[in-house]
Amino acid sequence: MSNKVFGKLPSNIAILSNSVYIKEVPVNIRSFKNRRTEARVIKGYLKASGGKFDRRIWQEPLVAELPDGTRYLFDGDRRRALYKLAYPAKETMPVQVVRVKDKEEISRLFVAINKTARKALNSNEVFVHEYLGGIPDAVNTGQTLTRCNLKVDLGTGEPGTCVGHPAGQQVKIDGFRKAVKDTGAQPVLNACAFIQSVWPNEKSIGAEMLHGFALLDANTSLLRNNKHKQLFENFVKSRASGYASSKDTATSLKSAGRGKTTNNFPESVALGTLTEFKNWAVGQRHISRPTFKRHYGTYVEELKKKVDI
C-alpha cells in the first residue's frame, strides 16, 4: 500500500480493544468451528516459496481467549498445518491471542477478518511485485510493455510503482498477457502503435481492442498492406469521431461482431471491425467486395465459427 491515503478518512477513531498479545500455545489447540483445512491449499502456499517453509511470510494464527481463560484457534488452521510440517518436533507455536467476551464475538471477528476487512491483490498489483521480485516471466512481460509504449501502474504516484514505459498508456495486465500469448509480441506491438496513432492522448488502452486488433495483424495483412492500412486508419478515425473514447468505439465494434458465444470478446472485436470496415470501404467504393473477400474472407469465416454466428 502507498504512504499517501487516497480518499477521505475520519479525523479520529475510537479504539474498540487493545487486548492482543503474542504467546506460545499448544500446537494442537482446539479450533473454533473453522473451515476445512485442505491439503491442496497448503501445497499452494508451499509452492509460492519453492516448496519450503518461509518464516518471513508466515504470520501467527489468531486465538480467541474467553473470560474463563478458554482458548480457541479461530483463524489460521492452514498456518498451523504449515508450522507443524516445518517443525514436527515442536509442541507449541506462537500465536496472536485476542480477548473476547463470548463465543458470538469470535464468529463476528472471523467474519470481519475474512470477509469485511480483507482485500485481495488485483492482477496488476501482483504483476508489479512479481516484476520487482525479478520473476523471469514478469520481467519479460515488462520488457514487452516498454516496447509497446504501455505500462501497468499501481496508481499511487510513488517512484518505482509502474512497470513498462513511464510515460506510456496504461493497460490491464491480464488482457495484455492474453493478447501476447494468443498472437505473439509483434502483432500486439503493431496493434498498440495503430491504436496509439488514433488515440494518442488517452490514458489507457482497452485490452479487448488491443487483443482484437492484434488478431487482425496476426491473421490478415490489414495493418501491413499500405493501401488498406491507410483506408483502415481513415475508417477507425471516422468511427472514433462518433464516440467519446476508444472504449466506446471498441464496444460498438464488439457489438457488431458478437455471436452466441459470449466469452470470445477479442474475436468479436476483430469480426465486428472487419464487418464494419467492409461496409464502409465498399460503400465508399474504396475496395470492391471480391477484393475484400480475397484478402479477408477466410479469416472472417473463421471468426464467425469462433463466435458462433
Side-chain angles (χ1 to χ4, degrees):
M1 297 297 106
S2 61
N3 290 333
K4 178 181 176 181
V5 175
F6 293 82
K8 293 184 178 181
L9 287 173
S11 57
N12 57 73
I13 58 172
I15 296 175
L16 184 62
S17 174
N18 277 324
S19 299
V20 179
Y21 61 97
I22 304 296
K23 184 176 180 62
E24 290 277 334
V25 302
V27 73
N28 290 318
I29 183 173
R30 184 179 176 185
S31 295
F32 181 81
K33 307 182 190 306
N34 286 357
R35 296 171 288 181
R36 286 161 54 100
T37 303
E38 300 277 1
R40 60 179 179 81
V41 179
I42 296 168
K43 289 176 182 177
Y45 291 161
L46 287 171
K47 184 178 179 180
S49 53
K52 300 176 182 179
F53 178 83
D54 190 341
R55 182 63 179 84
R56 295 170 299 176
I57 61 175
W58 183 89
Q59 296 181 336
E60 292 86 356
L62 285 170
V63 167
E65 183 179 86
L66 292 165
D68 66 0
T70 304
R71 294 174 179 151
Y72 295 98
L73 190 151
F74 73 97
D75 189 66
D77 280 295
R78 291 184 291 235
R79 281 172 278 163
R80 182 208 343 236
L82 280 170
Y83 194 87
K84 290 172 70 174
L85 280 173
Y87 306 109
K90 288 198 174 185
E91 296 183 356
T92 64
M93 69 176 175
V95 300
Q96 298 178 68
V97 179
V98 300
R99 294 190 178 96
V100 297
K101 61 184 179 181
D102 51 36
K103 290 184 178 180
E104 287 78 8
E105 189 172 19
I106 299 177
S107 290
R108 289 195 296 271
L109 285 174
F110 179 83
V111 172
I113 292 166
N114 289 284
K115 178 184 177 183
T116 310
R118 183 170 289 175
K119 180 184 180 295
L121 293 173
N122 63 41
S123 298
N124 281 7
E125 291 165 344
V126 171
F127 167 70
V128 169
H129 283 280
E130 286 178 340
Y131 177 87
L132 295 174
I135 295 176
D137 181 62
V139 172
N140 290 337
T141 300
Q143 293 170 350
T144 306
L145 283 167
T146 302
R147 290 173 56 205
C148 291
N149 197 29
L150 294 174
K151 67 180 178 182
V152 172
D153 195 338
L154 296 183
T156 64
E158 294 180 0
T161 57
C162 82
V163 178
H165 195 293
Q169 293 168 311
Q170 297 184 47
V171 69
K172 291 184 177 180
I173 192 61
D174 284 347
F176 180 81
R177 276 177 157 164
K178 190 172 188 302
V180 172
K181 181 179 179 181
D182 285 357
T183 69
Q186 191 59 47
V188 172
L189 177 62
N190 295 341
C192 278
F194 181 84
I195 294 169
Q196 289 162 347
S197 73
V198 179
W199 291 279
N201 299 319
E202 292 204 356
K203 292 183 179 180
S204 63
I205 282 183
E208 287 181 354
M209 176 180 276
L210 174 61
H211 194 164
F213 282 18
L215 286 171
L216 294 178
D217 185 67
N219 294 280
T220 75
S221 60
L222 184 57
L223 298 184
R224 297 187 299 277
N225 182 310
N226 289 336
K227 179 182 177 182
H228 290 184
K229 180 180 178 180
Q230 185 59 57
L231 288 173
F232 182 59
E233 184 174 339
N234 293 341
F235 158 72
V236 174
K237 285 182 176 179
S238 69
R239 190 82 180 209
S241 65
Y243 294 94
S245 66
S246 61
K247 181 180 178 180
D248 293 337
T249 306
T251 298
S252 73
L253 294 172
K254 180 171 66 177
S255 296
R258 183 173 291 166
K260 296 177 183 177
T261 304
T262 57
N263 60 342
N264 290 334
F265 291 146
E267 287 80 4
S268 292
V269 170
L271 177 59
T273 299
L274 285 175
T275 301
E276 296 295 286
F277 175 55
K278 173 187 172 184
N279 294 339
W280 178 86
V282 172
Q284 297 285 329
R285 297 188 177 182
H286 295 305
I287 301 176
S288 67
R289 290 183 185 275
T291 298
F292 185 91
K293 184 175 182 179
R294 184 170 69 253
H295 284 275
Y296 311 111
T298 299
Y299 190 50
V300 166
E301 293 306 313
E302 182 181 329
L303 288 170
K304 284 182 177 179
K305 290 179 181 178
K306 283 189 176 182
V307 303
D308 194 11
I309 289 181

